Each structure stands twice: as structure tokens, then as C-alpha cells.
Amino acid sequence: MPLPRTALLLCLLLALTGCGWVDQWVGEEPSPEPEVTGEVKLQNLTLRQTNARGELLWLLQAAEARYRDADRRQLQIQNLSGELKAEGKPAYKVQAKAVNVREREGQLWIEGRTTVTDLRQKGTIIADQFVWQGNRGVLIAQKNLQARYPQVSVTAQRLEADNQRQELRALKRVQVTSPAQDAKDLRLHTESLVWQQQPNRLLAGGMGQGGVTVVGVGGDRQGQRLQAQRVIWSISDQVVTLEGGVQVQLPNPALRVEGEMVRWRIPQQQLVSDRPLRVQYPSQGIQGQANRGVLLIAENRAIFDNAQINSQPQQAQLRAQRLNWWIPQERVEASGQVEIQRPNAHLRTAQLVWRIPQQEVEAQGGVFYRQSNPRIQVQGQRAKGWLDRQEVIVSGRVQSEVPVQLRLP
């Protein structure tokens, strides 16, 4: 026999309130002769959950919902909105048009395109799946996700926003961009990323997750590429520190730098290292190394300390305490215990200018020149020479042992 109208309403209310996380329901008035089909339609629904201390973990509202499973733990919801709370305080704002929502072991699952606003950091995370672990204050996003904050934008396969630790962790196929004017043409690619929102820096790579690549995609940075095992990107001052197997490729001119630690000062367009570096300039057959150095990218210039440059075409090697290398002009200014060697000649001085294309050198201060065939040894204050012709002119208080084939003014 069909249930009376009053008895049917009473049964539905008891069933809904017994679910625990469905806190309030206001339904439509049933028709005079309701047809019971097993599907329950709810309107103006409120979902809430508390922890053992009675603190709210979430408080959500839905305009309309239907149960999707027999035990009534999963809802199909239209127009979902509300807040996710950490330690009883609002942490994230939720909005979605059509999603499936369920509660499992104190965790809230939302399936479907959803926008979550980070109330503390003023950012938004959009994804097709969210899991809110309210007791830990951790929000997990997966499937077609993107996160946009005033400081950075992140895409990845998985993202965890930790409200308590103020960290955002991203895994697998991570790409990071920055809206900062100095860094807008840069893309960071990695498999593992941690954004420490205090002190506002990115930690990428490491932990066996593969290397990190920072590429230039526009403007003067087109083709610029930096790779390392680990990267620390300080968002506040736009300084990127690369560690472990560092490789820097600059496109114009084509130059490659390798080392174990390089700091990239993005606004100043400088690459700085206090550790040994190796430099390759393939188009001119030049290789170099130094104990430390600075690449001034905007000026196409490099400064190296305790450095050595080898020029294969000239079969020449230059060593000095400091080298100032004007790269496109292929001019090297060396100072402090300068030595330049070729198979048959050796020049030592305090200061030297080497114009590589012309194979021309000019030396000043304590010049000492020696060659083996024919045997010549001469000293003076200044010298000018041409490496290809093995010709040297020495001047200023000249002293010579064997002035054969040597022009001495």
C-alpha cells in the first residue's frame, strides 16, 4: 500500500540527515501523488564537515543536487560554492557549475571543472579534480590544472597547496612562468617544484626528479637556455641560482658555459659564478676556463679571474689573473701575470690586449719574450706582435740576448 504523504516526507528527511555531512536540505513541495523512483532531488543544500575539535573543515552550498550512489555519499551538484577551512578559518573559496562531490574518510572530493581561490595568497587554481584534506590543511589538484598567482603561474599534472606550511608543490611536467617584466619571456621546466610562499622562492629539481631547464621564448632571450640539476628562483629579487651540472647556452653569439654553480641576476642580465667555469665558443674554435667569472649578457662581455683561453686556429694559449673578453669583437684584455704561449714562443707581461681575428697582441709592463727557433730572448716595457707571423716588436729599455730576426727600435 502506498505511504501517506506525511510519512514519505518523514522518511526522506531521516535518510538525509543520517548521512552526517549533508547538514541542511530544503526540498520542493511534492506533487499530490508523488512517484517514488529511487532518485532524490535536493535543492538549496548545505554541506558541512567538522573535525574532532568541532572546527569546520568545509562549508558548501549547492542550488541543486542528486545522489549518485546507493549509500548517499556522492552527490551530483549544480552551482556549487562555499569555503574550505583550515583550523576553522577560511582558506579557499570554491566555485563550480556542475560537479560530483563525495566525502571519504574526512576528505572532500570534487570531480569536475572547479575554480578554487587561495584567500591568503590571492591566487586561483583551476582543475578537474580537487581533494581537500582539511585536517592537514592540504588541497590537492589534478587533471588539466593551472594555477595563477600574482607572483607565478604553474601548470603540472599534480599540485598540492599546503595552507599550514605556506607551500605549493607541483609534480610531473611542471612549467612555471613569471609575470614580472624582467622575466616574462622565461619558462621553467621541471618534474618537481616547491614554491615556498615565505620567503617567496621556487625550488626546482633534485630529489631524483631529473634536471631543470629555463628557456627564453621571446625578445632578446630567444634561444637562450639554462640547465641544471637544481634551481632556486628567488621571486622577490629575480635571482636564479643553478646548481649541479650547469649548462648555459647563449644564442647571439653562440656561446656555451658550464659549471657547478651559477647565479643568474635577471634584471641586471648577469650570470655570476664563484666556482670554476668552462667556456666554449665553437664558431671561433675557442675554449676557456676560469676559477670564477661574470657574463654581462647585455654587453656581450665576460670577465674571468684566474683564467685560461685556448684558441685552436692560432694554436695559442692565454693565461692571466683577469680576462676581460669582448665576445663579438673577439678582443681579450688580460691583466696580472699574463702569459701567452704558442708552440715556438712565450710572452709574459703585466697587461695584454689580444685581437683574435688579426692574431695581434699588444703587451705593456714587464714584457718578457722568448722563442726557441731561432733562439731569442728579450725584455722591455712594451711589445707588439703577430702570432701567425711570429713577429714581435719590443720597445722601452730593451735587453736582449740574441737579437736575431728581431726588430728593436
Side-chain angles (χ1 to χ4, degrees):
M1 181 178 67
L3 289 173
R5 177 180 178 183
T6 305
L8 178 61
L9 286 172
L10 179 61
C11 289
L12 286 174
L13 285 171
L14 290 174
L16 291 171
T17 55
C19 291
W21 67 300
V22 180
D23 182 71
Q24 180 181 347
W25 168 66
V26 178
E28 293 179 335
E29 285 292 328
S31 61
E33 295 181 359
E35 180 181 355
V36 179
T37 63
E39 182 180 80
V40 180
K41 180 180 178 181
L42 313 173
Q43 288 187 320
N44 301 327
L45 184 70
T46 298
L47 310 178
R48 72 166 69 207
Q49 181 75 307
T50 59
N51 59 17
R53 297 188 298 272
E55 298 172 335
L56 274 173
L57 300 179
W58 62 78
L59 181 62
L60 305 172
Q61 291 81 37
E64 184 179 306
R66 299 174 186 271
Y67 281 114
R68 298 197 64 210
D69 54 351
D71 60 2
R72 297 184 177 180
R73 308 301 295 180
Q74 183 166 271
L75 289 165
Q76 185 178 23
I77 287 179
Q78 300 292 324
N79 298 324
L80 179 70
S81 64
E83 292 179 343
L84 309 178
K85 297 177 179 290
E87 298 178 338
K89 299 178 181 178
Y92 302 98
K93 182 180 177 181
V94 178
Q95 284 187 313
K97 289 186 177 180
V99 291
N100 296 325
V101 178
R102 70 180 186 270
E103 183 268 344
R104 181 188 296 173
E105 298 178 354
Q107 299 181 3
L108 178 70
W109 290 68
I110 304 175
E111 300 276 356
R113 203 63 175 166
T114 304
T115 299
V116 173
T117 302
D118 187 333
L119 298 177
R120 175 181 285 179
Q121 299 296 331
K122 310 302 181 185
T124 59
I125 305 171
I126 303 173
D128 289 339
Q129 183 187 81
F130 283 94
V131 181
W132 172 238
Q133 300 176 347
N135 285 321
R136 297 176 55 218
V138 173
L139 178 68
I140 301 172
Q142 297 185 108
K143 300 180 180 179
N144 301 318
L145 74 88
Q146 51 186 309
R148 294 191 181 96
Y149 285 79
Q151 302 90 338
V152 294
S153 294
V154 181
T155 61
Q157 290 190 359
R158 179 183 174 91
L159 184 145
E160 296 182 6
D162 192 323
N163 186 267
Q164 295 177 355
R165 300 180 63 176
Q166 297 187 52
E167 284 186 356
L168 187 147
R169 299 181 287 271
L171 293 172
K172 296 182 180 180
R173 300 178 64 182
V174 182
Q175 178 176 291
V176 181
T177 59
S178 171
Q181 182 65 28
D182 295 322
K184 65 180 181 180
D185 293 326
L186 300 177
R187 302 290 184 271
L188 184 149
H189 300 271
T190 182
E191 290 296 302
S192 172
L193 174 80
V194 177
W195 174 26
Q196 296 178 335
Q197 293 161 335
Q198 295 293 333
N200 196 18
R201 64 180 181 179
L202 301 172
L203 310 178
M207 300 180 292
Q209 296 290 337
V212 186
T213 302
V214 182
V215 297
V217 297
D220 296 336
R221 294 196 178 98
Q222 183 74 39
Q224 187 172 308
R225 189 179 188 92
L226 297 91
Q227 294 177 290
Q229 294 177 5
R230 298 171 301 278
V231 166
I232 303 172
W233 186 339
S234 175
I235 302 297
S236 301
D237 52 13
Q238 290 297 334
V239 174
V240 178
T241 302
L242 301 99
E243 299 178 341
V246 180
Q247 296 183 8
V248 179
Q249 295 179 346
L250 302 178
N252 187 26
L255 193 71
R256 180 169 178 171
V257 181
E258 299 177 347
E260 288 303 309
M261 192 282 291
V262 173
R263 288 192 308 278
W264 183 14
R265 299 170 179 168
I266 296 176
Q268 294 83 10
Q269 298 192 58
Q270 295 179 358
L271 293 167
V272 182
S273 178
D274 295 328
R275 299 184 188 177
L277 291 170
R278 297 176 299 279
V279 183
Q280 296 183 21
Y281 192 9
S283 65
Q284 300 300 320
I286 293 176
Q287 296 182 345
Q289 58 189 40
N291 284 354
R292 55 183 294 174
V294 179
L295 280 171
L296 307 171
I297 299 174
E299 301 178 27
N300 274 327
R301 182 164 64 99
I303 301 173
F304 298 123
D305 289 341
N306 295 322
Q308 173 181 308
I309 288 182
N310 298 313
S311 176
Q312 186 62 34
Q314 287 81 31
Q315 293 184 303
Q317 181 184 91
L318 173 65
R319 292 193 299 268
Q321 290 181 323
R322 169 157 290 193
L323 292 179
N324 196 336
W325 183 9
W326 302 86
I327 299 169
Q329 294 83 359
E330 299 181 53
R331 187 178 83 246
V332 178
E333 299 174 0
S335 60
Q337 299 181 12
V338 182
E339 293 185 56
I340 187 166
Q341 288 184 318
R342 296 192 72 234
N344 188 40
H346 177 204
L347 175 68
R348 188 172 66 238
T349 183
Q351 297 181 11
L352 181 138
V353 176
W354 181 12
R355 299 178 181 90
I356 297 174
Q358 295 81 16
Q359 301 190 44
E360 178 184 280
V361 295
E362 291 186 11
Q364 183 170 351
V367 174
F368 174 84
Y369 176 78
R370 180 179 65 227
Q371 69 180 44
S372 57
N373 185 23
R375 182 180 177 276
I376 298 173
Q377 182 172 304
V378 62
Q379 299 180 50
Q381 291 300 309
R382 295 175 297 279
K384 185 173 183 178
W386 294 264
L387 299 178
D388 57 341
R389 305 200 302 259
Q390 289 192 189
E391 181 180 349
V392 176
I393 300 175
V394 180
S395 61
R397 291 183 290 178
V398 176
Q399 299 180 16
S400 175
E401 289 186 0
V402 183
V404 179
Q405 296 182 357
L406 187 69
R407 296 169 51 196
L408 301 177

